[in-house]
Amino acid sequence: MESHTEKILITGALGQIGTELTNRLVEIHGADNVVASGLDRWQKGITAAGHYERMDVTNTQLVRQVIKDYDITTVYHLASLLSGTSEKQPIFAWKLNLEPLLHFCEMAKEGLIQKIFWPSSIAVFGKGIPKENVEQDVVLNPTTVYGISKMAGEKWCEYYFDKHGVDVRSIRYPGLISWKTPAGGGTTDYAVEIFYEAIEEGKYTSFISENTGMPMLYMDDAINATLKLMEAPKENLTVRSSYNLGGMSFTPKELAEEIKKEIPEFEIDYKPDFRQAIADSWPASIDDSVAKKDWGLSYDFGISEMTKDMIKNLKVKLAKN
């Protein structure tokens, strides 16, 4: 682990990834060395971080001031508009998903910060790419606003490393599944919603068709992978765009069958919406062997382990509400 002198800023700290990543960073570095930021007003218990800044990441002057005020060394820049929502607000999505990243890279170029984490996505893949076992180096051909912005961001990361030595690191996240925080407008959200509905209603209507396979990752594995990448020696990294992350691949039908093992009365039907076309443009499985070789990527959860853990923890959570 890195020393406690590291000062960390997390943007999008109240989101699906941000909430859990913040908790882990506090465990590692101590609450006083972690600054969370988001759009919500501060209230007690809003975050585990020792400091909270209500901050719009497109306000470059404010962001720069926060970095100076807290002597920030590392930024986890998670704030973004996800795939489903981006399709409805393309201009805003482009601005939010790209411009703040460039400003963080500029600040790193100036020496204000030392290291940046920025999440990419399997949305960068698209037409003409094999559906199965997509390799690290393929031609990116996204067909969605979200994917286009992530592809551009990857190239900017690579550019700033090649031209200016900026240490920016990235992962292409697949769909993320968590019981702690709700999803936020993504195409893979069905894989979170289905558990809530299974427990509370005993049935679910999926907006993705039954045999559409997509790569997924349990949040515990996503956080572990993120931290492992950020702790890796700089010289070990051979990818400066974004690393493939595969996780597990399954269809809504396969997930429903796993849920029925725990909740036998569960029923599912299918009414695909606009997100089906997005899902169809994505791969069904990912080759993440480069990440395994470069920085030791590994997973603890498959579909069975994830399903059991989700249902166990969600039952407790929902019983308290």
Side-chain angles (χ1 to χ4, degrees), residues 98 101-102 105 116-120 150-170 240-242:
L98 208 61
L101 170 65
L102 300 187
C105 287
I116 302 165
F117 175 80
W118 176 78
S120 187
K150 289 298 184 183
M151 180 184 72
E154 285 191 16
K155 299 311 292 182
W156 279 116
C157 290
E158 195 172 52
Y159 174 86
Y160 271 92
F161 174 76
D162 288 343
K163 298 292 183 182
H164 306 293
V166 169
D167 191 0
V168 54
R169 306 178 182 199
S170 180
R240 283 298 181 164
S241 52
S242 191

Side-chain angles (χ1 to χ4, degrees), residues 283-304:
S285 60
I286 303 287
D287 176 356
D288 51 18
S289 56
V290 177
K292 289 174 178 174
K293 175 176 68 70
D294 284 4
W295 46 273
L297 170 67
S298 62
Y299 307 111
D300 294 325
F301 289 86
I303 186 172
S304 179

Side-chain angles (χ1 to χ4, degrees), residues 65-186:
Q65 191 59 52
V66 166
I67 284 172
K68 289 179 178 177
D69 288 347
Y70 290 97
D71 295 320
I72 296 298
T73 60
T74 303
V75 173
Y76 288 81
H77 174 41
L78 307 178
S80 70
L81 208 62
L82 297 184
S83 55
T85 318
S86 291
E87 289 300 303
K88 298 173 183 176
Q89 303 179 67
I91 304 303
F92 175 63
W94 177 260
K95 179 181 176 66
L96 178 62
N97 291 353
L98 208 61
E99 290 181 9
L101 170 65
L102 300 187
H103 291 300
F104 281 123
C105 287
E106 279 292 309
M107 290 179 223
K109 174 184 161 186
E110 295 167 24
L112 268 181
I113 49 182
Q114 297 169 15
K115 194 158 55 172
I116 302 165
F117 175 80
W118 176 78
S120 187
S121 164
I122 59 169
V124 297
F125 304 118
K127 290 180 180 177
I129 293 171
K131 290 291 283 184
E132 302 291 341
N133 210 34
V134 175
E135 296 181 355
Q136 176 66 52
D137 292 313
V138 296
V139 176
L140 304 181
N141 190 23
T143 56
T144 64
V145 173
Y146 185 64
I148 292 166
S149 67
K150 289 298 184 183
M151 180 184 72
E154 285 191 16
K155 299 311 292 182
W156 279 116
C157 290
E158 195 172 52
Y159 174 86
Y160 271 92
F161 174 76
D162 288 343
K163 298 292 183 182
H164 306 293
V166 169
D167 191 0
V168 54
R169 306 178 182 199
S170 180
I171 282 172
R172 290 170 180 158
Y173 286 126
L176 297 177
I177 301 171
S178 168
W179 62 268
K180 292 181 182 177
T181 50

